[in-house]
Amino acid sequence: MMHTADMLKVFAPYREDAIVIPGRGGRYWTDLTTCPSLDVPLGDPAMGGHAGFALGVALAQPGRKVILFDSEGDILMSLGMLVTIAEQQPANFYHFLIDNGCYATTGGQPVPNADNIAYDMIARGAGYPRAFAFDELEQFSTHLPDILGKPGPVFVALKVAAEIENAPIGRRRRWQTRTRDQVVKDFRAELGLGS
Amino acid sequence: MSDAAATALSPETVLGEMKKNGVTHVVWLPDSETNWLYLLMKAEPSLRLVGVSREGHACSIAAGLSVAGARPLILIQNTGMMESGDSLRGWLLGLNIPVVLMVGYRGWTRHGVNQDSAATYTERFLMAFGINYYLVENDADAPRISIAFEEAERTKRPVVVLVGDEYHGFNR
């Protein structure tokens, strides 16, 4: 099993000029990114929506790779989104799923059927032409260049260690360095769009 | 032309409003009034249709489209809009997305006596979220669609167009 921070460290050198939507990996990505203006770390506007948001970005910016670090708790709320993404076939869309098997921010309660679900098979069944699953960092590291080197949409399920938070929300370390408004403003400016 | 047809909101008119307002993507889930409109949209090369299986998905997709420079329209029914409450809050209101939602007003009657709780709660739902809305029942009302687009852009908020044309609307 790998740690989210280590997985993102492996990914970082391959980022190039891709748009990165770090989802619940945002707390680690903020220390790794070399191009924050192409990152869209929104935290959690409404659970279950990261895949939809990333799809929208990918459709609006077909000339750029869009990298999403989704989570299993989010996608379980929106499994139908996989079908929409598969139908749209965005060639620039790279869908990574951080699967720690639980709701880590609420104390670590397991997601439904956590030990017996195969997200890569669900994605493939939804119509993703390529889907992978990795639970070891070395395997992931070996296959990543090929995954990113071919067109999307591609789905990559990553089994990671749970890092459970039990502190009251108000006492947790705040990893965001920018407000959501600022994130959107910076991103649009980087893309040459109006405010 | 029958009287009903003469007072209907024609799908051609709705498509014309979409084109006039520069819509690039229609994020949608079919309702009982959109079949003919669907055929028109599908044949329109300037539009890309993004079908969803649950209406809340439309909010996050539209947010991504809008933030990254496209101009989406959401086309759903009032039942699905109410299902989408948290996505409306977080993805559209929370990110200040200037988007128009055309919402089929299932159960709407002009006389105020309805037998469908979908209609009972539609406007109350919008008021609770502080989302402004315009009612469109026929072609004469269609300019309100452009008003909604202008308002969404000016206020950086979602604006709803309620389509109160259940009986002869977009079906043929």
Side-chain angles (χ1 to χ4, degrees):
Chain A
M1 196 171 294
M2 63 187 99
H3 288 270
T4 302
D6 294 335
M7 179 275 292
L8 289 171
K9 279 180 194 164
V10 166
F11 162 74
Y14 298 98
R15 185 252 181 88
E16 298 176 337
D17 65 347
I19 294 165
V20 173
I21 297 159
R24 290 171 203 278
R27 70 173 65 185
Y28 303 108
W29 184 246
T30 193
D31 295 328
L32 295 168
T33 184
T34 54
C35 189
S37 54
L38 280 175
D39 297 337
V40 197
L42 295 174
D44 186 19
M47 193 167 174
H50 292 293
F53 181 82
L55 171 64
V57 172
L59 293 177
Q61 293 289 326
R64 281 185 189 267
K65 281 184 179 172
V66 174
I67 312 281
L68 167 66
F69 291 99
D70 207 348
S71 82
E72 93 284 18
D74 282 283
I75 205 65
L76 283 172
M77 283 189 170
S78 301
L79 286 175
M81 183 58 69
L82 297 175
V83 179
T84 292
I85 293 166
E87 182 181 56
Q88 293 296 317
Q89 292 285 312
N92 57 334
F93 189 75
Y94 297 80
H95 192 167
F96 294 87
L97 185 82
I98 300 172
D99 169 23
N100 62 12
C102 69
Y103 299 107
T105 58
T106 61
Q109 305 86 349
V111 300
N113 209 22
D115 296 332
N116 297 299
I117 188 165
Y119 296 101
D120 58 321
M121 292 178 71
I122 293 174
R124 195 177 285 278
Y128 277 64
R130 291 193 298 147
F132 303 90
F134 301 105
D135 55 11
E136 297 298 336
L137 193 62
E138 195 176 327
Q139 292 174 313
F140 173 62
S141 182
T142 301
H143 287 86
L144 184 59
D146 183 59
I147 289 168
L148 293 173
K150 291 179 179 165
V154 60
F155 186 93
V156 183
L158 302 163
K159 194 72 180 171
V160 303
E163 294 164 68
I164 296 164
E165 293 186 87
N166 273 320
I169 287 177
R171 289 190 210 157
R172 293 177 190 173
R173 179 179 80 91
R174 191 171 164 74
W175 56 264
Q176 290 93 340
T177 57
R178 296 176 288 164
T179 64
R180 281 183 189 146
D181 286 350
Q182 191 63 48
V183 166
V184 170
K185 192 175 173 188
D186 293 347
F187 178 62
R188 288 178 61 86
E190 181 70 30
L191 296 179
L193 303 169
S195 56
Chain B
M1 185 184 288
S2 68
D3 287 348
T7 58
L9 176 63
S10 74
E12 290 86 352
T13 300
V14 174
L15 185 70
E17 287 289 326
M18 290 181 192
K19 292 170 69 176
K20 180 175 148 191
N21 287 285
V23 171
T24 57
H25 298 74
V26 178
V27 191
W28 82 304
L29 199 152
D31 70 28
S32 54
E33 299 152 34
T34 49
N35 184 49
W36 179 240
L37 178 61
Y38 165 66
L39 296 176
L40 286 180
M41 292 189 302
K42 204 171 146 191
E44 171 52 50
S46 68
L47 290 179
R48 180 162 182 167
L49 303 186
V50 183
V52 296
S53 53
R54 192 151 202 158
E55 288 85 347
H57 300 173
C59 298
S60 53
I61 294 172
L65 283 163
S66 177
V67 163
R71 191 155 208 211
L73 170 82
I74 293 175
L75 181 65
I76 56 177
Q77 195 175 56
N78 52 354
T79 48
M81 178 186 72
M82 289 186 272
E83 225 291 310
S84 307
D86 195 47
S87 294
L88 271 167
R89 175 200 63 78
W91 292 103
L92 298 184
L93 291 167
L95 293 180
N96 309 308
I97 302 300
V99 67
V100 170
L101 298 90
M102 288 198 68
V103 176
Y105 201 162
R106 198 189 87 180
W108 163 250
T109 63
R110 302 200 77 196
H111 44 73
V113 180
N114 80 71
Q115 298 181 315
D116 187 338
S117 63
T120 304
Y121 295 110
T122 293
E123 293 181 53
R124 297 179 196 180
F125 175 94
L126 289 168
M127 288 176 194
F129 277 78
I131 295 174
N132 202 20
Y133 59 91
Y134 296 90
L135 176 65
V136 173
E137 295 178 290
N138 52 51
D139 279 352
D141 296 336
R144 295 174 195 167
I145 299 171
S146 286
I147 290 171
F149 274 100
E150 183 280 324
E151 181 176 317
E153 201 57 47
R154 177 170 42 82
T155 61
K156 305 295 180 201
R157 288 174 63 86
V159 176
V160 164
V161 173
L162 291 172
V163 181
D165 189 23
E166 183 163 6
Y167 300 106
H168 43 252
F170 298 147
N171 282 315
R172 280 195 180 176

